[in-house]
Amino acid sequence: MTAYEPPGGPGTEAFDAVVLAGGAARRLGGADKPAVRVGGRALLDRVLAACAGAGTTVVVAGPRPTARPVRWAREEPLGGGPLAALDAGLRHTGAPQLVVLSADLPFLDEETVRRLLDALRSSAGPVDGVLVTDPDGRDQPLVAAYRADALRRELARLAARHDGLTGLPLRRLTAALHLTRITDPVASFDCDTWDDIAAARARIREHGHVLDEWISAVKDELGIDLDVDITELLDLARDAAHNVARPAAPLTTFLVGYAAAKAGGGPEAVTEAARKAAALALSWADEDAPDVKPDGGSGPHTAPGPETSPDTAPGPETSPDTAPDAG
């Protein structure tokens, strides 16, 4: 099992994640729904980013390239339904808490996952799980956090009662659990149809998140798992463009990234390289500024020699005391 130190520090319970990525996607004409791109990223990769804090992430589907490392599992028989898929994924986990997600949630993020886990950990009484409700108040059992032992107990009971889990709907499981709920209309949005896909793509472009979405897509495409201060880099690009030349902006940010990688990577390396480059851009502009004369005027001037000063340097043959009377 993968070792994991949860973000909350010592004493905070670890969690694993199971992502159900199978299904026939009939309303998408049988398309490979987890691979459909929204905002430049596959739907599955967007969900994997949201549960990046999990100790182990299991995807129940056929293996495929993903932006983050995962374990793969398959239900038996194939196409056996959500409970069979959940059972298959659960067998590869060991943490006391489990986040269970579908692979078609374009707007799920780490904050929602944290909210689910926090609500589960702070629940009073015998609560088995916390799930999200959609804007119409419907439960979303595949946007949820559960106690893993409760899932194992109820799945085993259902399997014994029905001679297996094949074909059983999720409500058979959730009806037997003690659940609480949180509301998150954005995170609960799922993509079942091409109209849903179109709406998700449009939302990304219309709600002021284009830059964040683009950076996330590029990092996934390049295999970079690094959080940096975007504002810091944009400020550097502005300084380079304004104080040096417009093409200096992209070239400088590229060189900063290269320098940070050579220094071992990490946000601190990026910050240090950006700081040095920004200071250089500002000093570059200073060199081009007009010099200031000693009397406060501007324009070229000659610095005083080693034996004179602006106040005492006499003319070639006269001094202030011996100059002829102007009158």
Side-chain angles (χ1 to χ4, degrees):
M1 194 63 60
T2 304
Y4 171 66
E5 181 64 32
T12 302
E13 291 182 276
F15 75 97
D16 290 335
V18 171
V19 181
L20 306 189
R26 293 182 181 87
R27 285 188 280 178
L28 288 177
D32 183 8
K33 182 162 64 170
V36 173
R37 289 181 175 257
V38 173
R41 290 189 288 165
L43 284 170
L44 176 57
D45 283 334
R46 299 180 73 90
V47 173
L48 294 180
C51 58
T56 297
T57 299
V58 184
V59 179
V60 185
R64 69 188 60 214
T66 55
R68 296 177 181 273
V70 301
R71 293 187 181 184
W72 299 97
R74 294 307 304 265
E75 72 275 21
E76 295 182 3
L78 293 180
L83 287 192
L86 176 57
D87 182 63
L90 189 58
R91 294 175 187 274
H92 295 271
T93 67
Q97 298 167 351
L98 189 73
V99 173
V100 178
L101 306 166
S102 62
D104 61 351
L105 303 166
F107 303 118
L108 182 72
D109 58 20
E110 288 186 278
E111 176 59 29
T112 300
V113 171
R114 281 194 293 268
R115 285 182 62 205
L116 286 166
L117 291 166
D118 288 345
L120 181 61
R121 290 163 180 159
S122 62
S123 295
V127 173
D128 297 319
V130 179
L131 50 77
V132 166
T133 59
D134 68 14
D136 296 321
R138 291 187 296 259
D139 288 349
Q140 301 296 316
L142 297 184
V143 194
Y146 299 96
R147 300 196 190 280
D149 57 355
L151 291 184
R152 292 188 176 93
R153 180 190 70 237
E154 292 304 325
L155 286 172
R157 185 183 63 81
L158 286 169
R161 176 177 297 180
H162 298 278
D163 194 25
L165 298 170
T166 301
L168 294 181
L170 272 170
R171 64 177 177 273
R172 291 289 184 90
L173 173 66
T174 55
L177 298 173
H178 298 284
L179 302 173
T180 60
R181 292 153 179 84
I182 64 173
T183 300
D184 194 328
V186 176
S188 63
F189 182 91
D190 58 0
C191 293
D192 291 326
T193 68
W194 287 114
D195 284 344
D196 294 336
I197 297 292
R201 289 169 172 168
R203 181 184 177 89
I204 285 173
R205 287 165 172 77
E206 292 172 358
H207 285 69
H209 303 303
V210 172
L211 184 58
D212 288 336
E213 291 287 348
W214 168 248
I215 294 300
S216 296
V218 170
K219 290 194 294 185
D220 275 2
E221 195 70 20
L222 300 181
I224 300 171
D225 188 11
L226 175 66
D227 289 325
V228 297
D229 187 336
I230 295 176
T231 301
E232 179 180 78
L233 294 179
L234 289 176
D235 287 346
L236 168 61
R238 178 203 62 208
D239 290 342
H242 178 72
N243 296 312
V244 183
R246 190 171 297 276
L251 294 173
T252 303
T253 51
F254 164 77
L255 292 172
V256 163
Y258 184 78
K262 287 193 66 176
E268 297 83 3
V270 175
T271 294
E272 178 62 13
R275 182 192 65 77
K276 290 180 177 179
L280 180 61
L282 295 175
S283 66
W284 185 283
D286 288 343
E287 290 182 9
D288 214 22
D291 291 330
V292 178
K293 288 183 177 181
D295 61 3
S298 62
H301 71 275
T302 302
E307 297 180 359
T308 62
S309 72
D311 297 325
T312 61
E317 298 178 355
T318 62
S319 72
D321 295 330
T322 60
D325 188 346

